[in-house]
Amino acid sequence: MEAPILQINDLSISFRVDGQEVAAVNSVTFAIHKSEILAIVGESGSGKSVCSLCIMGLLPKPPAIIKSGEIIFAGKQNLLKISAKEFAGLRGNDIAMIFQEPMTSLNPLMSCGKQVAEAFILHKNISWQEAKQKTIALFNEVKIPNPEAAFHKYPHEMSGGQKQRVMIAMALSCEPKLLIADEPTTALDVTVQKEIIELLKEIQQRRGTAIIFITHDLAIVKNIADSVIVMYKGQIVEQGSTKTIFENAQHNYTKALIECRPTITQRMKTLPTISDYLIADNENIFLANVETKEQFLERQQYIQQQPIILAINNAAVKYPTKKNIFGKALDFFTAMQHINLQVHQGETIGIVGESGCGKTTLGKAIVKLNKLSQGEIIYNGKNIFTQWDITYHQQVQIIFQDPYSSLNPRMTIGKAIQEPMEVHGIGIERKKNVVALLQKVGLLPEHYDRYPHEFSGGQRQRVCIARALAMQPKVIICDESVSALDVSVQAQVLNLLSALRHEFGLTLLFISHDMNVIRHLSDRIIVMQNGEIVEEGDAYTLFAAPQNNYTKMLLASVPQ
């Protein structure tokens, strides 16, 4: 049998934190061969990204400490023993990496084409003109629309999927033997995600490139990987062929990763979490937790009897794209138009569609962050743009996608939750109320005095939920609020939102591109495309018998 392109033997890595050694990777051993796609699966903190950074020679030492092991590349070089100069020649040339967040990985001050051409010039020692031609050809290979124009575009002018394709083009520029893709589809639209996966598979088959695909989502893995490694707390707990892992998973953690994610085939009253599976050794324990269609219809009947709390009538939002010297708009971009929607009190509306479809524009219009170009939004009988209601901003709250950028890094989370209560004059014993809210969302009283950087992504999202609840709202808009979370953390946050809507009688507008999440949480779903609603229906009917071709395409793109 041909020697593996990469062989890792007994790799152990620790980090020195506050004078103590913390183990990150423990006795990891695996191999990957030419033309193979190996998926490394696990939650944040499992050690999968630490392994990839070690392979790339990008682990900072200190604080990282290589305790033991070897990384053999191409059957001869031990990557842990070579010099920085040797690694510089290897990195990008023979081993390349696609990072998780393309916007932070690309230079915002340099055109996308120039950034890729730079790799050609550095490693291939060719002229600028030849590098430009090769870059445009590569842009065409990774299916970036209009490659010649894309060469001159800056990162902010490209969509998320296009930026990820630029990163893939950069990684492929020197035809590496090994490509590491670290969460390359996280937070991307389901259709873009499918395109990226198909592109990576096509590259692997055409070029014979070995690919290490790092993710926390096992549903994606099934559609791309030949073999799978499951990591938990720095160790490999299970590994084997993709078929074996999915059909006969042995470890409870692997079973949990498979089962914790909501699906488009059934609705759960409460999603199982990782801890449920690690405590209970019986996967059938959750079968009674499945919501029946009768139970769903009973809830729908109850909701239809509730008063309409929010009505959107023929709403449109247009952004000026060209102005004259006096500041008057000469041309517009229509972000959304012809939006008509009525929301009952206590109802959960799922708003789904690809990036640019207008769903976030709609959410921002409802909280008055966008001004309507035409139409009206009626809340409890009042037009929110013409009739002033001092309680509106208290009663209608929004939770944004990125909790870290939503919180002030210089303010403790206790103060961040308490501040809007003080502005609106809510409550008297505010610190006591904040502590109660922290416990309500699954955090601890001592978290009151901690800062945002001291929390995980899931915990920060809980803080943002607590801050929204502090205002005692009637309506909460969740804008992609679980899209970048690990599968088990996502399950915890979805369970929390579901419990809170029942406890407080909340009305939710849940914006997402994830059809599984929308199916799990929504009573009614609207599908948006090009700024308009193209289909609307209850969660059962729309998924069972979609009428619009765009809806059918979205459902067909969901990894099963």
Side-chain angles (χ1 to χ4, degrees):
M1 187 178 179
E2 189 179 348
I5 195 74
L6 186 82
Q7 174 74 52
I8 295 182
N9 298 317
D10 194 34
L11 181 65
S12 294
I13 303 169
S14 296
F15 286 87
R16 187 167 292 282
V17 181
D18 296 331
Q20 294 183 322
E21 273 191 28
V22 179
V25 173
N26 189 13
S27 301
V28 165
T29 298
F30 67 85
I32 180 171
H33 293 79
K34 183 180 178 181
S35 299
E36 180 185 4
I37 298 182
L38 169 69
I40 303 179
V41 184
E43 299 171 281
S44 296
S46 64
K48 58 190 190 297
S49 290
V50 173
C51 287
S52 69
L53 291 172
C54 190
I55 294 167
M56 292 292 294
L58 295 175
L59 272 184
K61 293 180 281 190
I65 306 165
I66 309 296
K67 304 290 289 183
S68 67
E70 58 181 7
I71 302 175
I72 307 300
F73 178 70
K76 49 186 179 180
Q77 287 177 300
N78 184 352
L79 301 184
L80 298 180
K81 301 291 185 183
I82 65 176
S83 66
K85 186 176 180 181
E86 288 176 296
F87 231 130
L90 198 67
R91 190 189 302 121
N93 205 19
D94 292 318
I95 307 174
M97 189 167 182
I98 304 165
F99 293 96
Q100 179 174 353
E101 180 45 69
M103 193 62 204
T104 55
S105 302
L106 293 170
N107 186 337
L109 302 177
M110 189 184 291
S111 72
C112 293
K114 191 174 181 181
Q115 294 185 59
V116 178
E118 201 175 46
F120 279 115
I121 295 168
L122 179 65
H123 289 287
K124 297 298 184 183
N125 195 25
I126 59 177
S127 68
W128 164 251
Q129 197 57 40
E130 193 177 351
K132 181 179 179 180
Q133 290 172 354
K134 283 182 174 289
T135 299
I136 291 171
L138 202 50
F139 277 7
N140 187 57
E141 185 180 350
V142 298
K143 299 176 182 175
I144 294 175
N146 198 348
E148 291 82 3
F151 183 92
H152 299 286
K153 286 186 177 180
Y154 288 83
H156 72 274
E157 298 179 284
M158 309 280 272
S159 70
Q162 288 173 341
K163 282 196 284 278
Q164 197 61 283
R165 288 169 191 271
V166 171
M167 289 295 297
I168 293 171
M170 192 183 297
L172 293 175
S173 59
C174 297
E175 300 185 5
K177 297 181 179 72
L178 175 65
L179 178 63
I180 301 172
D182 188 2
E183 301 272 13
T185 60
T186 299
L188 292 180
D189 292 338
V190 64
T191 50
V192 179
Q193 175 182 275
K194 185 181 180 183
E195 290 169 3
I196 296 295
I197 288 170
E198 288 174 350
L199 175 60
L200 288 172
K201 286 174 71 175
E202 188 180 315
I203 289 164
Q204 171 245 348
Q205 291 165 4
R206 187 172 62 251
R207 295 188 173 212
T209 309
I211 298 176
I212 295 177
F213 190 91
I214 297 170
T215 184
H216 62 259
D217 191 343
L218 267 170
I220 295 172
V221 168
K222 193 172 184 181
N223 294 307
I224 189 172
D226 301 306
S227 52
V228 179
I229 288 172
V230 181
M231 292 189 70
Y232 178 59
K233 292 185 176 179
Q235 293 182 302
I236 294 176
V237 296
E238 191 161 2
Q239 60 181 311
S241 70
T242 305
K243 188 174 188 293
T244 302
I245 292 293
F246 276 89
E247 293 182 0
N248 191 28
Q250 299 298 307
H251 199 278
N252 280 352
Y253 182 71
T254 309
K255 296 175 185 177
L257 288 177
I258 295 170
E259 297 296 334
C260 285
R261 185 167 171 77
T263 69
I264 60 171
T265 55
Q266 65 181 15
R267 285 168 62 106
M268 306 288 283
K269 297 172 189 173
T270 305
L271 288 169
T273 63
I274 298 291
S275 57
D276 292 327
Y277 270 89
L278 295 180
I279 294 169
D281 193 24
N282 178 11
E283 57 265 39
N284 296 321
I285 195 169
F286 302 108
L287 290 180
N289 198 24
V290 176
E291 182 185 70
T292 65
K293 187 174 182 179
E294 289 72 24
Q295 290 170 327
F296 173 81
L297 292 175
E298 186 179 334
R299 172 171 164 77
Q300 295 309 295
Q301 189 175 10
Y302 168 77
I303 286 172
Q304 294 304 312
Q305 295 170 354
Q306 303 309 304
I308 291 171
I309 191 170
L310 190 71
I312 303 169
N313 302 319
N314 197 32
V317 172
K318 297 179 181 179
Y319 299 119
T321 56
K322 189 177 180 182
K323 295 182 179 180
N324 63 18
I325 58 172
F326 302 107
K328 184 178 179 182
L330 299 175
D331 200 6
F332 296 90
F333 167 73
T334 303
M336 70 172 209
Q337 61 182 341
H338 311 312
I339 302 297
N340 292 284
L341 180 66
Q342 292 189 328
V343 184
H344 292 267
Q345 187 174 311
E347 187 175 18
T348 298
I349 300 287
I351 306 174
V352 70
E354 296 173 282
S355 295
C357 71
K359 56 188 188 296
T360 295
T361 300
L362 174 59
K364 287 182 175 180
I366 293 171
V367 292
K368 299 174 75 170
L369 291 176
N370 279 334
K371 190 174 181 180
L372 292 185
S373 304
Q374 68 180 55
E376 59 183 9
I377 297 176
I378 308 297
Y379 175 74
N380 279 338
K382 291 183 179 179
N383 187 323
I384 66 170
F385 289 104
T386 60
Q387 293 176 270
W388 174 249
D389 184 351
I390 197 168
T391 64
Y392 182 75
H393 285 295
Q394 173 194 330
Q395 294 183 8
V396 181
Q397 292 287 301
I398 187 167
I399 303 169
F400 292 102
Q401 178 174 354
D402 183 0
Y404 192 68
S405 60
S406 302
L407 295 168
N408 186 336
R410 296 185 177 183
M411 187 181 288
T412 65
I413 61 114
K415 291 295 184 184
I417 297 170
Q418 194 170 313
E419 185 184 45
M421 298 170 73
E422 292 169 352
V423 170
H424 287 268
I426 297 171
I428 301 171
E429 296 180 309
R430 290 180 183 127
K431 182 173 181 178
K432 184 179 177 181
N433 292 341
V434 170
V435 169
L437 278 171
L438 288 173
Q439 292 176 300
K440 180 72 70 179
V441 298
L443 297 174
L444 301 173
E446 53 263 37
H447 289 155
Y448 182 95
D449 293 312
R450 293 188 188 176
Y451 289 86
H453 73 273
E454 298 179 83
F455 294 88
S456 69
Q459 287 175 320
R460 283 195 288 264
Q461 198 60 282
R462 290 169 184 268
V463 171
C464 291
I465 292 171
R467 186 173 60 177
L469 289 174
M471 302 297 288
Q472 300 172 2
K474 303 294 184 186
V475 179
I476 296 182
I477 299 162
C478 302
D479 187 6
E480 299 279 13
S481 52
V482 298
S483 63
L485 300 179
D486 286 341
V487 61
S488 64
V489 179
Q490 183 186 84
Q492 292 167 15
V493 173
L494 289 174
N495 287 342
L496 173 63
L497 287 171
S498 186
L500 291 172
R501 72 175 176 178
H502 290 299
E503 182 176 348
F504 295 105
L506 295 173
T507 303
L508 296 182
L509 275 75
F510 200 91
I511 298 169
S512 181
H513 62 258
D514 190 327
M515 301 296 283
N516 293 304
V517 170
I518 287 289
R519 169 79 162 88
H520 169 72
L521 203 63
S522 305
D523 298 309
R524 188 156 47 103
I525 298 166
I526 66 169
V527 182
M528 292 188 68
Q529 182 187 24
N530 298 329
E532 298 188 44
I533 296 174
V534 295
E535 187 162 3
E536 179 182 340
D538 69 72
Y540 263 93
T541 305
L542 188 135
F543 276 79
Q547 300 300 306
N548 188 275
N549 287 335
Y550 179 70
T551 310
K552 293 175 183 176
M553 184 269 290
L554 288 177
L555 290 172
S557 300
V558 177
Q560 299 297 319

